[in-house]
Amino acid sequence: MRFSIEKTVGRARAGLLETPHGIVKTPFFMVVGTAASVKGMTIEQLRSAKTQVVLANTYHLAVRPGSEEVQKRGGLAKFMGWNGPTLTDSGGFQVFSLAKKRKVTPEGVRFNNHIDGKELFLTPERAVEIQQDIGADIMMCLDECPPAKAPRDEIRKSMLLTHAWAKRCRDKWAENPGAQALFGIAQGALFEDLRKESAEYLASLDFPGYAIGGVAVGEDTPDIRRIVDFTAPLLPADKPRYRMGVGTPADLIAGVRAGVDMFDCVMPTRHARHYQAFTRTGPINLKNACYAEDDGPLEEGCDCETCRSVTRAYVRHLALLGELMASVWVTIHNVRFYLRLMEDLREAILAGKFEERAAGLYMG
RNA sequence: GCGAAAAUAGCUCAGUUGGUUAGAGCGUCUGACUGUGGCUCAGAAGGUCGUGGGUUCGAAUCCCAUUUUUCGCC
């Protein structure tokens, strides 16, 4: 996987990432499609929103339909009809989100899956194998994602486990690297010395890319910003940096400013299903009574299909009825909103005017 | 016309042998959501208990009258 930086402004960078399924312009936002589906959007709609990369999840695909099944169908990108660049998260986040259904040992994570309770034993090696079957362009190391507020000794212990797993993942991947890339994940919660230790250790393993993990697991926004700000420069400058699971439009701008190249978050799609639309002046809840007679688009000046087709009043009407299309219309808008924000940030960097323009891109 | 049943939140209904500020679901309103099990979760507003009398220390609850609705019978 080749990564080239075209332009740098301060720490912010714009570049190109070459994947087996196409060249991706950085910085970019990945749309979350956990189970090989972006909830509420067709492939055509994803393309029309100018999606670059779709993210799916190892744990969920391993549970259903099974990684071999995805492989037999031609791999993730083909299976879901997307045929573009993809990334799979390793299942590390499910260590956090499905905490009641798993047990962590030095060997790996034992899940009792949420569908039929059957056991899924995810070792670092197995996580790589499964992701190789699934076939995403970028695979993630298995990591342990502890709650941000856990005590320091727990965080450090967990970080060391993640390091051991990162090495095992890399060794497994190195046996037969193929075209797929494998990214390491730095942990360390809110402790700067641990973050530094983690970044340095992972860098020594020489991954094609690096992620800042353990953000978006219960911390406050200022803490997320501080840690990303602190950690990003510690990761190798010539490799893509991926801030996992974050966040709001303002978080994305802060991340790009800190030198992060890749983002993903459920926010645009999940919030859309709850009828919250993003706009450059902040999010709006379309169920609110004040939109009952609003004949304007979700966002003035937006080029998405939703804003070209329907009004706030209409979407509110659908939302109050719980109509499926209410979620769909808002999802299309929110995804395009996020992608357009990233496009604008990239253009600002290429123009050498990141700070001048960034301030005007989101005033939420 | 006669008889019976019912009347409690916007809607559908709970409400023990009379006993503090009358509850629920849905709807409405508002908020939350950050590497997605879950179009989910949380909160708020909203009622002179059909009306008028009476009994009682105290009535949505018991009694009388009245209005409306539903069902049945002439």
mmCIF file of all heavy atoms in Angstrom, chain A residues 39 97 143 145 185 216 244-245 247 266 269 273 316 324, chain B residues 27-40:
data_model
loop_
_atom_site.group_PDB
_atom_site.id
_atom_site.type_symbol
_atom_site.label_atom_id
_atom_site.label_comp_id
_atom_site.label_asym_id
_atom_site.label_seq_id
_atom_site.Cartn_x
_atom_site.Cartn_y
_atom_site.Cartn_z
ATOM 1 N N LYS A 39 -26.147 1.231 6.807
ATOM 2 C CA LYS A 39 -27.569 1.230 7.143
ATOM 3 C C LYS A 39 -28.296 2.390 6.464
ATOM 4 O O LYS A 39 -27.962 3.553 6.687
ATOM 5 C CB LYS A 39 -27.768 1.349 8.648
ATOM 6 C CG LYS A 39 -27.254 0.147 9.445
ATOM 7 C CD LYS A 39 -27.521 0.363 10.934
ATOM 8 C CE LYS A 39 -26.656 -0.490 11.841
ATOM 9 N NZ LYS A 39 -26.876 -1.926 11.740
ATOM 10 N N SER A 97 -17.652 -2.773 23.482
ATOM 11 C CA SER A 97 -19.106 -2.582 23.355
ATOM 12 C C SER A 97 -19.902 -3.816 23.757
ATOM 13 O O SER A 97 -21.055 -3.713 24.152
ATOM 14 C CB SER A 97 -19.458 -2.177 21.923
ATOM 15 O OG SER A 97 -19.152 -3.218 21.016
ATOM 16 N N ASP A 143 -7.091 -5.488 19.132
ATOM 17 C CA ASP A 143 -6.618 -4.742 20.298
ATOM 18 C C ASP A 143 -7.627 -4.876 21.418
ATOM 19 O O ASP A 143 -8.762 -5.306 21.199
ATOM 20 C CB ASP A 143 -6.403 -3.253 19.959
ATOM 21 C CG ASP A 143 -7.697 -2.543 19.573
ATOM 22 O OD1 ASP A 143 -8.613 -3.217 19.048
ATOM 23 O OD2 ASP A 143 -7.798 -1.322 19.780
ATOM 24 N N CYS A 145 -9.739 -2.733 23.930
ATOM 25 C CA CYS A 145 -10.199 -1.357 24.034
ATOM 26 C C CYS A 145 -10.826 -1.176 25.420
ATOM 27 O O CYS A 145 -11.984 -1.492 25.628
ATOM 28 C CB CYS A 145 -11.240 -1.138 22.930
ATOM 29 S SG CYS A 145 -11.512 0.569 22.512
ATOM 30 N N ILE A 185 -2.633 -0.421 16.177
ATOM 31 C CA ILE A 185 -3.487 0.479 16.948
ATOM 32 C C ILE A 185 -2.817 0.862 18.265
ATOM 33 O O ILE A 185 -2.503 0.000 19.085
ATOM 34 C CB ILE A 185 -4.853 -0.167 17.259
ATOM 35 C CG1 ILE A 185 -5.541 -0.636 15.980
ATOM 36 C CG2 ILE A 185 -5.744 0.817 18.026
ATOM 37 C CD1 ILE A 185 -6.824 -1.427 16.212
ATOM 38 N N ALA A 216 -13.304 7.689 22.057
ATOM 39 C CA ALA A 216 -14.729 7.455 21.845
ATOM 40 C C ALA A 216 -15.207 6.271 22.668
ATOM 41 O O ALA A 216 -16.038 5.488 22.250
ATOM 42 C CB ALA A 216 -15.055 7.216 20.374
ATOM 43 N N MET A 244 -9.605 6.354 15.248
ATOM 44 C CA MET A 244 -10.733 5.426 15.184
ATOM 45 C C MET A 244 -11.980 5.901 15.928
ATOM 46 O O MET A 244 -11.915 6.308 17.081
ATOM 47 C CB MET A 244 -10.316 4.063 15.743
ATOM 48 C CG MET A 244 -9.097 3.475 15.041
ATOM 49 S SD MET A 244 -8.670 1.847 15.659
ATOM 50 C CE MET A 244 -9.866 0.836 14.790
ATOM 51 N N GLY A 245 -13.111 5.844 15.202
ATOM 52 C CA GLY A 245 -14.391 6.008 15.875
ATOM 53 C C GLY A 245 -14.816 7.415 16.220
ATOM 54 O O GLY A 245 -15.825 7.609 16.877
ATOM 55 N N GLY A 247 -15.615 11.358 14.793
ATOM 56 C CA GLY A 247 -16.497 11.872 15.805
ATOM 57 C C GLY A 247 -17.410 12.903 15.199
ATOM 58 O O GLY A 247 -17.965 12.757 14.118
ATOM 59 N N VAL A 266 -19.886 6.293 13.537
ATOM 60 C CA VAL A 266 -21.271 5.923 13.258
ATOM 61 C C VAL A 266 -22.177 7.150 13.315
ATOM 62 O O VAL A 266 -23.353 7.073 12.994
ATOM 63 C CB VAL A 266 -21.795 4.884 14.264
ATOM 64 C CG1 VAL A 266 -20.927 3.644 14.258
ATOM 65 C CG2 VAL A 266 -21.883 5.465 15.660
ATOM 66 N N THR A 269 -24.579 8.191 10.369
ATOM 67 C CA THR A 269 -25.624 7.219 10.051
ATOM 68 C C THR A 269 -26.545 6.949 11.235
ATOM 69 O O THR A 269 -27.761 6.906 11.082
ATOM 70 C CB THR A 269 -25.006 5.899 9.558
ATOM 71 O OG1 THR A 269 -23.919 5.529 10.412
ATOM 72 C CG2 THR A 269 -24.481 6.056 8.152
ATOM 73 N N ARG A 273 -30.651 8.029 11.689
ATOM 74 C CA ARG A 273 -31.774 7.130 12.011
ATOM 75 C C ARG A 273 -32.596 7.686 13.155
ATOM 76 O O ARG A 273 -33.748 7.318 13.344
ATOM 77 C CB ARG A 273 -31.249 5.730 12.349
ATOM 78 C CG ARG A 273 -31.191 4.819 11.145
ATOM 79 C CD ARG A 273 -30.549 3.493 11.457
ATOM 80 N NE ARG A 273 -29.097 3.633 11.440
ATOM 81 C CZ ARG A 273 -28.298 3.225 12.411
ATOM 82 N NH1 ARG A 273 -28.784 2.635 13.475
ATOM 83 N NH2 ARG A 273 -27.001 3.412 12.319
ATOM 84 N N ARG A 316 -39.747 15.751 8.411
ATOM 85 C CA ARG A 316 -40.320 15.721 9.761
ATOM 86 C C ARG A 316 -41.611 14.898 9.769
ATOM 87 O O ARG A 316 -41.848 14.089 10.661
ATOM 88 C CB ARG A 316 -40.633 17.139 10.255
ATOM 89 C CG ARG A 316 -41.403 17.142 11.573
ATOM 90 C CD ARG A 316 -41.694 18.535 12.092
ATOM 91 N NE ARG A 316 -43.032 18.609 12.658
ATOM 92 C CZ ARG A 316 -43.340 18.321 13.926
ATOM 93 N NH1 ARG A 316 -42.395 17.938 14.751
ATOM 94 N NH2 ARG A 316 -44.577 18.393 14.344
ATOM 95 N N LEU A 324 -39.657 4.537 7.231
ATOM 96 C CA LEU A 324 -38.297 4.141 6.911
ATOM 97 C C LEU A 324 -37.559 5.235 6.147
ATOM 98 O O LEU A 324 -36.385 5.506 6.361
ATOM 99 C CB LEU A 324 -38.371 2.880 6.043
ATOM 100 C CG LEU A 324 -37.344 1.780 6.247
ATOM 101 C CD1 LEU A 324 -37.150 1.488 7.715
ATOM 102 C CD2 LEU A 324 -37.794 0.538 5.510
ATOM 103 P P G B 27 -45.796 6.230 19.709
ATOM 104 O OP1 G B 27 -45.254 5.963 18.364
ATOM 105 O OP2 G B 27 -44.884 6.396 20.858
ATOM 106 O "O5'" G B 27 -46.752 7.508 19.647
ATOM 107 C "C5'" G B 27 -47.690 7.654 18.586
ATOM 108 C "C4'" G B 27 -48.539 8.882 18.814
ATOM 109 O "O4'" G B 27 -49.254 8.753 20.064
ATOM 110 C "C3'" G B 27 -47.765 10.187 18.970
ATOM 111 O "O3'" G B 27 -47.455 10.746 17.711
ATOM 112 C "C2'" G B 27 -48.767 11.046 19.725
ATOM 113 O "O2'" G B 27 -49.780 11.548 18.889
ATOM 114 C "C1'" G B 27 -49.353 10.019 20.691
ATOM 115 N N9 G B 27 -48.611 9.970 21.957
ATOM 116 C C8 G B 27 -47.735 9.017 22.379
ATOM 117 N N7 G B 27 -47.228 9.258 23.559
ATOM 118 C C5 G B 27 -47.809 10.452 23.936
ATOM 119 C C6 G B 27 -47.645 11.219 25.114
ATOM 120 O O6 G B 27 -46.941 10.984 26.101
ATOM 121 N N1 G B 27 -48.426 12.375 25.089
ATOM 122 C C2 G B 27 -49.245 12.747 24.058
ATOM 123 N N2 G B 27 -49.903 13.886 24.213
ATOM 124 N N3 G B 27 -49.417 12.034 22.949
ATOM 125 C C4 G B 27 -48.668 10.912 22.958
ATOM 126 P P U B 28 -46.128 11.616 17.539
ATOM 127 O OP1 U B 28 -46.072 12.063 16.126
ATOM 128 O OP2 U B 28 -45.006 10.863 18.118
ATOM 129 O "O5'" U B 28 -46.410 12.867 18.471
ATOM 130 C "C5'" U B 28 -47.423 13.812 18.133
ATOM 131 C "C4'" U B 28 -47.462 14.913 19.163
ATOM 132 O "O4'" U B 28 -47.853 14.365 20.454
ATOM 133 C "C3'" U B 28 -46.125 15.580 19.454
ATOM 134 O "O3'" U B 28 -45.832 16.582 18.497
ATOM 135 C "C2'" U B 28 -46.362 16.172 20.846
ATOM 136 O "O2'" U B 28 -47.149 17.331 20.780
ATOM 137 C "C1'" U B 28 -47.181 15.053 21.494
ATOM 138 N N1 U B 28 -46.349 14.093 22.243
ATOM 139 C C2 U B 28 -45.910 14.451 23.506
ATOM 140 O O2 U B 28 -46.159 15.532 24.014
ATOM 141 N N3 U B 28 -45.167 13.504 24.163
ATOM 142 C C4 U B 28 -44.814 12.254 23.685
ATOM 143 O O4 U B 28 -44.145 11.502 24.402
ATOM 144 C C5 U B 28 -45.288 11.954 22.367
ATOM 145 C C6 U B 28 -46.028 12.866 21.714
ATOM 146 P P C B 29 -44.314 16.855 18.104
ATOM 147 O OP1 C B 29 -44.329 17.886 17.041
ATOM 148 O OP2 C B 29 -43.614 15.581 17.876
ATOM 149 O "O5'" C B 29 -43.719 17.503 19.438
ATOM 150 C "C5'" C B 29 -44.128 18.797 19.863
ATOM 151 C "C4'" C B 29 -43.478 19.115 21.185
ATOM 152 O "O4'" C B 29 -43.902 18.149 22.184
ATOM 153 C "C3'" C B 29 -41.962 18.979 21.202
ATOM 154 O "O3'" C B 29 -41.321 20.117 20.669
ATOM 155 C "C2'" C B 29 -41.683 18.809 22.689
ATOM 156 O "O2'" C B 29 -41.786 20.032 23.387
ATOM 157 C "C1'" C B 29 -42.848 17.913 23.103
ATOM 158 N N1 C B 29 -42.502 16.480 23.085
ATOM 159 C C2 C B 29 -41.786 15.966 24.177
ATOM 160 O O2 C B 29 -41.458 16.738 25.094
ATOM 161 N N3 C B 29 -41.468 14.654 24.206
ATOM 162 C C4 C B 29 -41.833 13.862 23.191
ATOM 163 N N4 C B 29 -41.495 12.568 23.263
ATOM 164 C C5 C B 29 -42.550 14.362 22.064
ATOM 165 C C6 C B 29 -42.863 15.669 22.052
ATOM 166 P P U B 30 -39.921 19.939 19.883
ATOM 167 O OP1 U B 30 -39.562 21.257 19.343
ATOM 168 O OP2 U B 30 -40.020 18.770 18.990
ATOM 169 O "O5'" U B 30 -38.919 19.550 21.062
ATOM 170 C "C5'" U B 30 -38.530 20.528 22.011
ATOM 171 C "C4'" U B 30 -37.693 19.912 23.105
ATOM 172 O "O4'" U B 30 -38.443 18.861 23.783
ATOM 173 C "C3'" U B 30 -36.422 19.181 22.674
ATOM 174 O "O3'" U B 30 -35.361 20.073 22.370
ATOM 175 C "C2'" U B 30 -36.127 18.374 23.934
ATOM 176 O "O2'" U B 30 -35.627 19.196 24.969
ATOM 177 C "C1'" U B 30 -37.534 17.911 24.320
ATOM 178 N N1 U B 30 -37.812 16.570 23.776
ATOM 179 C C2 U B 30 -37.266 15.493 24.451
ATOM 180 O O2 U B 30 -36.590 15.620 25.454
ATOM 181 N N3 U B 30 -37.545 14.266 23.916
ATOM 182 C C4 U B 30 -38.281 14.009 22.775
ATOM 183 O O4 U B 30 -38.454 12.846 22.415
ATOM 184 C C5 U B 30 -38.811 15.180 22.125
ATOM 185 C C6 U B 30 -38.557 16.398 22.636
ATOM 186 P P G B 31 -34.137 19.558 21.449
ATOM 187 O OP1 G B 31 -33.373 20.763 21.092
ATOM 188 O OP2 G B 31 -34.688 18.687 20.391
ATOM 189 O "O5'" G B 31 -33.272 18.622 22.408
ATOM 190 C "C5'" G B 31 -32.658 19.136 23.584
ATOM 191 C "C4'" G B 31 -32.161 17.997 24.442
ATOM 192 O "O4'" G B 31 -33.264 17.099 24.752
ATOM 193 C "C3'" G B 31 -31.138 17.068 23.804
ATOM 194 O "O3'" G B 31 -29.835 17.609 23.888
ATOM 195 C "C2'" G B 31 -31.269 15.830 24.681
ATOM 196 O "O2'" G B 31 -30.630 16.019 25.930
ATOM 197 C "C1'" G B 31 -32.773 15.783 24.900
ATOM 198 N N9 G B 31 -33.432 14.899 23.940
ATOM 199 C C8 G B 31 -34.220 15.244 22.875
ATOM 200 N N7 G B 31 -34.681 14.208 22.223
ATOM 201 C C5 G B 31 -34.152 13.109 22.895
ATOM 202 C C6 G B 31 -34.298 11.716 22.657
ATOM 203 O O6 G B 31 -34.936 11.150 21.775
ATOM 204 N N1 G B 31 -33.576 10.948 23.572
ATOM 205 C C2 G B 31 -32.823 11.471 24.601
ATOM 206 N N2 G B 31 -32.194 10.595 25.388
ATOM 207 N N3 G B 31 -32.689 12.769 24.841
ATOM 208 C C4 G B 31 -33.376 13.524 23.955
ATOM 209 P P A B 32 -28.693 17.081 22.874
ATOM 210 O OP1 A B 32 -27.505 17.904 23.144
ATOM 211 O OP2 A B 32 -29.246 16.999 21.511
ATOM 212 O "O5'" A B 32 -28.419 15.585 23.368
ATOM 213 C "C5'" A B 32 -27.649 15.333 24.533
ATOM 214 C "C4'" A B 32 -27.613 13.854 24.817
ATOM 215 O "O4'" A B 32 -28.955 13.318 24.726
ATOM 216 C "C3'" A B 32 -26.824 13.024 23.821
ATOM 217 O "O3'" A B 32 -25.454 13.025 24.149
ATOM 218 C "C2'" A B 32 -27.436 11.639 24.007
ATOM 219 O "O2'" A B 32 -26.927 10.991 25.160
ATOM 220 C "C1'" A B 32 -28.900 11.977 24.254
ATOM 221 N N9 A B 32 -29.741 11.861 23.073
ATOM 222 C C8 A B 32 -30.265 12.858 22.297
ATOM 223 N N7 A B 32 -31.039 12.419 21.322
ATOM 224 C C5 A B 32 -31.012 11.036 21.478
ATOM 225 C C6 A B 32 -31.630 9.986 20.764
ATOM 226 N N6 A B 32 -32.428 10.179 19.719
ATOM 227 N N1 A B 32 -31.384 8.718 21.174
ATOM 228 C C2 A B 32 -30.581 8.526 22.231
ATOM 229 N N3 A B 32 -29.950 9.437 22.982
ATOM 230 C C4 A B 32 -30.217 10.680 22.548
ATOM 231 P P C B 33 -24.387 13.019 22.927
ATOM 232 O OP1 C B 33 -23.093 13.384 23.490
ATOM 233 O OP2 C B 33 -24.942 13.820 21.828
ATOM 234 O "O5'" C B 33 -24.329 11.513 22.405
ATOM 235 C "C5'" C B 33 -24.097 10.409 23.287
ATOM 236 C "C4'" C B 33 -24.570 9.140 22.589
ATOM 237 O "O4'" C B 33 -25.936 9.328 22.184
ATOM 238 C "C3'" C B 33 -23.752 8.826 21.339
ATOM 239 O "O3'" C B 33 -23.394 7.454 21.301
ATOM 240 C "C2'" C B 33 -24.679 9.206 20.192
ATOM 241 O "O2'" C B 33 -24.513 8.350 19.103
ATOM 242 C "C1'" C B 33 -26.061 9.009 20.805
ATOM 243 N N1 C B 33 -27.059 9.868 20.170
ATOM 244 C C2 C B 33 -28.011 9.241 19.356
ATOM 245 O O2 C B 33 -28.002 8.003 19.246
ATOM 246 N N3 C B 33 -28.937 9.998 18.728
ATOM 247 C C4 C B 33 -28.920 11.330 18.874
ATOM 248 N N4 C B 33 -29.841 12.034 18.231
ATOM 249 C C5 C B 33 -27.953 11.993 19.690
ATOM 250 C C6 C B 33 -27.046 11.227 20.318
ATOM 251 P P U B 34 -21.833 7.019 21.513
ATOM 252 O OP1 U B 34 -21.808 5.569 21.272
ATOM 253 O OP2 U B 34 -21.360 7.587 22.785
ATOM 254 O "O5'" U B 34 -21.016 7.746 20.336
ATOM 255 C "C5'" U B 34 -21.222 7.365 18.974
ATOM 256 C "C4'" U B 34 -19.927 7.574 18.217
ATOM 257 O "O4'" U B 34 -19.627 8.980 18.223
ATOM 258 C "C3'" U B 34 -18.721 6.849 18.844
ATOM 259 O "O3'" U B 34 -17.902 6.207 17.883
ATOM 260 C "C2'" U B 34 -17.961 7.954 19.560
ATOM 261 O "O2'" U B 34 -16.559 7.771 19.446
ATOM 262 C "C1'" U B 34 -18.335 9.195 18.757
ATOM 263 N N1 U B 34 -18.344 10.428 19.568
ATOM 264 C C2 U B 34 -17.412 11.398 19.211
ATOM 265 O O2 U B 34 -16.644 11.265 18.278
ATOM 266 N N3 U B 34 -17.429 12.525 19.978
ATOM 267 C C4 U B 34 -18.265 12.786 21.044
ATOM 268 O O4 U B 34 -18.166 13.847 21.636
ATOM 269 C C5 U B 34 -19.202 11.726 21.353
ATOM 270 C C6 U B 34 -19.200 10.608 20.619
ATOM 271 P P G B 35 -18.401 5.000 16.964
ATOM 272 O OP1 G B 35 -19.528 5.385 16.139
ATOM 273 O OP2 G B 35 -18.577 4.004 18.033
ATOM 274 O "O5'" G B 35 -17.255 4.487 15.992
ATOM 275 C "C5'" G B 35 -16.086 3.882 16.596
ATOM 276 C "C4'" G B 35 -15.537 2.952 15.561
ATOM 277 O "O4'" G B 35 -14.121 3.025 15.611
ATOM 278 C "C3'" G B 35 -15.924 1.497 15.806
ATOM 279 O "O3'" G B 35 -17.038 1.194 14.963
ATOM 280 C "C2'" G B 35 -14.661 0.751 15.418
ATOM 281 O "O2'" G B 35 -14.642 0.503 14.016
ATOM 282 C "C1'" G B 35 -13.555 1.738 15.753
ATOM 283 N N9 G B 35 -13.008 1.644 17.112
ATOM 284 C C8 G B 35 -13.431 2.336 18.224
ATOM 285 N N7 G B 35 -12.746 2.059 19.301
ATOM 286 C C5 G B 35 -11.814 1.128 18.871
ATOM 287 C C6 G B 35 -10.804 0.461 19.603
ATOM 288 O O6 G B 35 -10.529 0.576 20.794
ATOM 289 N N1 G B 35 -10.082 -0.406 18.788
ATOM 290 C C2 G B 35 -10.311 -0.610 17.451
ATOM 291 N N2 G B 35 -9.531 -1.480 16.858
ATOM 292 N N3 G B 35 -11.250 0.015 16.753
ATOM 293 C C4 G B 35 -11.962 0.858 17.528
ATOM 294 P P U B 36 -17.514 -0.538 14.916
ATOM 295 O OP1 U B 36 -16.420 -1.249 15.536
ATOM 296 O OP2 U B 36 -18.023 -0.987 13.617
ATOM 297 O "O5'" U B 36 -18.736 -0.526 15.936
ATOM 298 C "C5'" U B 36 -19.697 0.538 15.854
ATOM 299 C "C4'" U B 36 -20.993 0.012 16.425
ATOM 300 O "O4'" U B 36 -22.014 0.947 16.066
ATOM 301 C "C3'" U B 36 -21.365 -1.363 15.811
ATOM 302 O "O3'" U B 36 -21.387 -2.469 16.709
ATOM 303 C "C2'" U B 36 -22.610 -1.059 14.920
ATOM 304 O "O2'" U B 36 -23.717 -1.924 15.202
ATOM 305 C "C1'" U B 36 -23.026 0.354 15.299
ATOM 306 N N1 U B 36 -23.287 1.174 14.104
ATOM 307 C C2 U B 36 -24.541 1.736 14.008
ATOM 308 O O2 U B 36 -25.388 1.573 14.863
ATOM 309 N N3 U B 36 -24.755 2.476 12.890
ATOM 310 C C4 U B 36 -23.878 2.735 11.863
ATOM 311 O O4 U B 36 -24.217 3.442 10.926
ATOM 312 C C5 U B 36 -22.611 2.105 12.023
ATOM 313 C C6 U B 36 -22.351 1.358 13.113
ATOM 314 P P G B 37 -21.891 -2.476 18.065
ATOM 315 O OP1 G B 37 -22.429 -1.201 18.513
ATOM 316 O OP2 G B 37 -21.029 -3.242 18.921
ATOM 317 O "O5'" G B 37 -23.060 -3.336 17.504
ATOM 318 C "C5'" G B 37 -23.924 -4.107 18.298
ATOM 319 C "C4'" G B 37 -24.866 -4.764 17.342
ATOM 320 O "O4'" G B 37 -25.258 -6.028 17.890
ATOM 321 C "C3'" G B 37 -26.152 -3.936 17.207
ATOM 322 O "O3'" G B 37 -26.215 -3.447 15.878
ATOM 323 C "C2'" G B 37 -27.262 -4.927 17.468
ATOM 324 O "O2'" G B 37 -27.743 -5.548 16.310
ATOM 325 C "C1'" G B 37 -26.569 -5.943 18.361
ATOM 326 N N9 G B 37 -26.526 -5.526 19.761
ATOM 327 C C8 G B 37 -25.445 -5.041 20.481
ATOM 328 N N7 G B 37 -25.745 -4.765 21.730
ATOM 329 C C5 G B 37 -27.084 -5.086 21.834
ATOM 330 C C6 G B 37 -27.950 -4.996 22.941
ATOM 331 O O6 G B 37 -27.693 -4.612 24.092
ATOM 332 N N1 G B 37 -29.236 -5.412 22.604
ATOM 333 C C2 G B 37 -29.623 -5.856 21.360
ATOM 334 N N2 G B 37 -30.891 -6.206 21.232
ATOM 335 N N3 G B 37 -28.816 -5.946 20.320
ATOM 336 C C4 G B 37 -27.581 -5.544 20.622
ATOM 337 P P G B 38 -26.911 -2.038 15.620
ATOM 338 O OP1 G B 38 -26.993 -1.865 14.165
ATOM 339 O OP2 G B 38 -26.181 -1.058 16.438
ATOM 340 O "O5'" G B 38 -28.374 -2.147 16.210
ATOM 341 C "C5'" G B 38 -29.431 -2.766 15.483
ATOM 342 C "C4'" G B 38 -30.644 -2.834 16.370
ATOM 343 O "O4'" G B 38 -30.273 -3.466 17.607
ATOM 344 C "C3'" G B 38 -31.210 -1.474 16.773
ATOM 345 O "O3'" G B 38 -32.207 -1.073 15.839
ATOM 346 C "C2'" G B 38 -31.857 -1.762 18.114
ATOM 347 O "O2'" G B 38 -33.158 -2.252 17.978
ATOM 348 C "C1'" G B 38 -30.952 -2.861 18.683
ATOM 349 N N9 G B 38 -29.958 -2.326 19.620
ATOM 350 C C8 G B 38 -28.761 -1.735 19.324
ATOM 351 N N7 G B 38 -28.104 -1.346 20.385
ATOM 352 C C5 G B 38 -28.929 -1.691 21.440
ATOM 353 C C6 G B 38 -28.758 -1.509 22.842
ATOM 354 O O6 G B 38 -27.821 -0.994 23.436
ATOM 355 N N1 G B 38 -29.831 -2.021 23.562
ATOM 356 C C2 G B 38 -30.930 -2.603 23.005
ATOM 357 N N2 G B 38 -31.863 -3.024 23.858
ATOM 358 N N3 G B 38 -31.107 -2.778 21.698
ATOM 359 C C4 G B 38 -30.076 -2.303 20.991
ATOM 360 P P C B 39 -31.960 -0.035 14.629
ATOM 361 O OP1 C B 39 -32.429 -0.528 13.360
ATOM 362 O OP2 C B 39 -30.538 0.412 14.735
ATOM 363 O "O5'" C B 39 -32.999 1.085 14.922
ATOM 364 C "C5'" C B 39 -33.021 2.021 15.915
ATOM 365 C "C4'" C B 39 -34.122 2.969 15.535
ATOM 366 O "O4'" C B 39 -34.074 3.240 14.121
ATOM 367 C "C3'" C B 39 -35.520 2.407 15.754
ATOM 368 O "O3'" C B 39 -35.920 2.656 17.077
ATOM 369 C "C2'" C B 39 -36.344 3.241 14.805
ATOM 370 O "O2'" C B 39 -36.639 4.499 15.350
ATOM 371 C "C1'" C B 39 -35.395 3.425 13.619
ATOM 372 N N1 C B 39 -35.649 2.473 12.529
ATOM 373 C C2 C B 39 -36.842 2.605 11.813
ATOM 374 O O2 C B 39 -37.628 3.489 12.117
ATOM 375 N N3 C B 39 -37.078 1.750 10.805
ATOM 376 C C4 C B 39 -36.196 0.802 10.507
ATOM 377 N N4 C B 39 -36.485 -0.010 9.504
ATOM 378 C C5 C B 39 -34.984 0.641 11.237
ATOM 379 C C6 C B 39 -34.745 1.499 12.228
ATOM 380 P P U B 40 -36.852 1.696 17.915
ATOM 381 O OP1 U B 40 -36.934 0.444 17.159
ATOM 382 O OP2 U B 40 -38.081 2.401 18.318
ATOM 383 O "O5'" U B 40 -35.989 1.476 19.228
ATOM 384 C "C5'" U B 40 -34.944 0.528 19.242
ATOM 385 C "C4'" U B 40 -33.822 1.013 20.137
ATOM 386 O "O4'" U B 40 -33.022 2.001 19.441
ATOM 387 C "C3'" U B 40 -34.261 1.750 21.393
ATOM 388 O "O3'" U B 40 -34.653 0.832 22.408
ATOM 389 C "C2'" U B 40 -33.008 2.511 21.747
ATOM 390 O "O2'" U B 40 -32.043 1.674 22.328
ATOM 391 C "C1'" U B 40 -32.529 2.955 20.364
ATOM 392 N N1 U B 40 -33.006 4.287 20.012
ATOM 393 C C2 U B 40 -32.342 5.374 20.552
ATOM 394 O O2 U B 40 -31.401 5.254 21.318
ATOM 395 N N3 U B 40 -32.826 6.589 20.179
ATOM 396 C C4 U B 40 -33.886 6.845 19.335
ATOM 397 O O4 U B 40 -34.195 7.998 19.091
ATOM 398 C C5 U B 40 -34.520 5.669 18.819
ATOM 399 C C6 U B 40 -34.068 4.460 19.165
#
